[in-house]
Amino acid sequence: MWWVIAVVALVVAVATYLTWLAARVDRLHARAAAAYATLDAHLVRRAAAAVALAEAAQLPMLMYAAKIALDAQPDDREVAENDLTRHLRLDVGPTPVDDTLVQVSRRVALARQVHNDVVRDALAVRRRGLVRLFRLARKHPVPAYFDVDDPSLS
């Protein structure tokens, strides 16, 4: 009779661990989605600040790059943001940059770092054997790193 209690206790322990692991997978993917939304919001703010700077300084190439970054689809976002960063460095150069643009660029860098850290954690938990065996992450899309040049300005 004692072996029945031991088997039941083992099943309860395994079920508890799998439930905890599934909740962890869900939380990490929710954090990754929230981090991407935050990064996206900061990228839009940076592009809008770049449009304002380009209008004030009459920089047509910067204006073009900023408008492309504003309208970019998720698949083309990294390329558009890298292009905007390159234009911010080249077109604006050593001239005094709007303080708003500097602050937004710093927030973009921080949001990108947070997003990539959360994605790293989510991908690490997806690689666990039990997560793959029981397909605990099947309802979540695979999160991706957002790899762009460091957008910080002086």
Side-chain angles (χ1 to χ4, degrees), residues 25-26 29 126 131-142:
V25 168
D26 289 343
H29 284 85
R126 286 179 77 96
V131 173
R132 287 184 300 167
L133 179 67
F134 289 103
R135 299 179 53 201
L136 298 177
R138 70 182 175 271
K139 67 180 180 180
H140 301 289
V142 178

Side-chain angles (χ1 to χ4, degrees), residues 3 10 15 17 28-29 31 34 36 45 50 52 59 64 70 80 88 99 101 110 133-134 136 139:
W3 60 273
L10 181 64
Y17 179 71
L28 283 172
H29 284 85
R31 284 180 57 202
Y36 182 78
R45 285 187 195 110
L59 299 168
Y64 180 69
L70 276 173
L88 283 171
D99 189 41
L101 186 60
L110 182 61
L133 179 67
F134 289 103
L136 298 177
K139 67 180 180 180

Side-chain angles (χ1 to χ4, degrees), residues 26-154:
D26 289 343
R27 281 192 313 268
L28 283 172
H29 284 85
R31 284 180 57 202
Y36 182 78
T38 301
L39 174 62
D40 186 54
H42 286 300
L43 290 171
V44 168
R45 285 187 195 110
R46 180 178 78 136
V51 166
L53 177 67
E55 286 176 351
Q58 296 181 355
L59 299 168
M61 292 304 291
L62 179 61
M63 173 76 75
Y64 180 69
K67 287 189 177 186
I68 287 176
L70 276 173
D71 297 333
Q73 298 299 317
D75 294 339
D76 302 326
R77 194 67 189 251
E78 288 181 16
V79 174
E81 293 299 333
N82 279 329
D83 192 42
L84 177 58
T85 299
R86 186 174 48 82
H87 280 288
L88 283 171
R89 286 189 185 136
L90 294 176
D91 293 349
V92 176
T95 61
V97 181
D98 184 24
D99 189 41
T100 304
L101 186 60
V102 171
Q103 289 177 358
V104 170
S105 293
R106 288 180 184 158
R107 288 184 184 133
V108 166
L110 182 61
R112 183 181 62 84
Q113 181 180 3
V114 168
H115 174 264
N116 287 341
D117 287 347
V118 171
V119 167
R120 182 195 63 228
D121 294 344
L123 291 176
V125 79
R126 286 179 77 96
R127 285 191 289 268
R128 285 182 157 185
L130 288 175
V131 173
R132 287 184 300 167
L133 179 67
F134 289 103
R135 299 179 53 201
L136 298 177
R138 70 182 175 271
K139 67 180 180 180
H140 301 289
V142 178
Y145 292 106
F146 194 83
D147 193 22
V148 294
D149 290 338
D150 187 19
S152 61
L153 302 170
S154 325

